[in-house]
């Protein structure tokens, strides 16, 4: 059984390139876990990926947008 865990690693503000509003975002990290019966979960790989979610419009986008859209 495989499942993906998502955790919020950072909360901040940015200029969203989608809704063009300065709003809050959450930087999230996803990892795949493989669990067998009730044996503790084993991380299959390093971070599957990071993505940013704009809390204004709800759009999920690559974390690279933060490098280009930092508030002044
Ligand atoms: Zn937005």
């Amino acid at each position: 059984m495989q499942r993906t865990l998502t955790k919020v690693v950072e909360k901040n503000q940015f200029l969203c390139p989608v809704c063009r509003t300065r709003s809050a975002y959450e930087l999230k990290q996803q990892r795949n876990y493989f669990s067998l019966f009730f044996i503790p979960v084993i991380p299959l790989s390093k971070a599957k990926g990071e993505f940013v979610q704009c809390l204004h419009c709800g759009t999920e986008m690559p974390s690279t947008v933060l490098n280009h859209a930092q508030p002044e």
Side-chain angles (χ1 to χ4, degrees), residues 14-21 23-24 53-59 61:
F14 78 144
L15 182 62
C16 177
V18 178
C19 60
R20 300 187 181 281
T21 304
S23 59
Q53 183 173 30
C54 172
L55 297 185
H56 185 78
C57 64
T59 303
M61 56 202 97

Side-chain angles (χ1 to χ4, degrees), residues 2-72:
Q2 185 174 324
R3 62 192 193 125
T4 303
L5 294 184
T6 304
K7 75 172 186 179
V8 176
V9 291
E10 188 183 312
K11 289 183 179 182
N12 214 323
Q13 286 199 330
F14 78 144
L15 182 62
C16 177
V18 178
C19 60
R20 300 187 181 281
T21 304
R22 185 175 172 174
S23 59
Y25 71 84
E26 289 182 345
L27 176 62
K28 300 182 181 185
Q29 211 174 56
Q30 284 189 329
R31 295 182 78 165
N32 283 330
Y33 281 83
F34 181 78
S35 61
L36 183 64
F37 302 107
F38 295 102
I39 300 173
V41 292
I42 304 165
L44 281 181
S45 59
K46 291 188 174 179
K48 178 187 172 190
E50 283 188 339
F51 64 92
V52 174
Q53 183 173 30
C54 172
L55 297 185
H56 185 78
C57 64
T59 303
E60 294 176 355
M61 56 202 97
S63 58
T64 51
V65 298
L66 296 179
N67 300 328
H68 307 293
Q70 286 291 343
E72 294 180 12

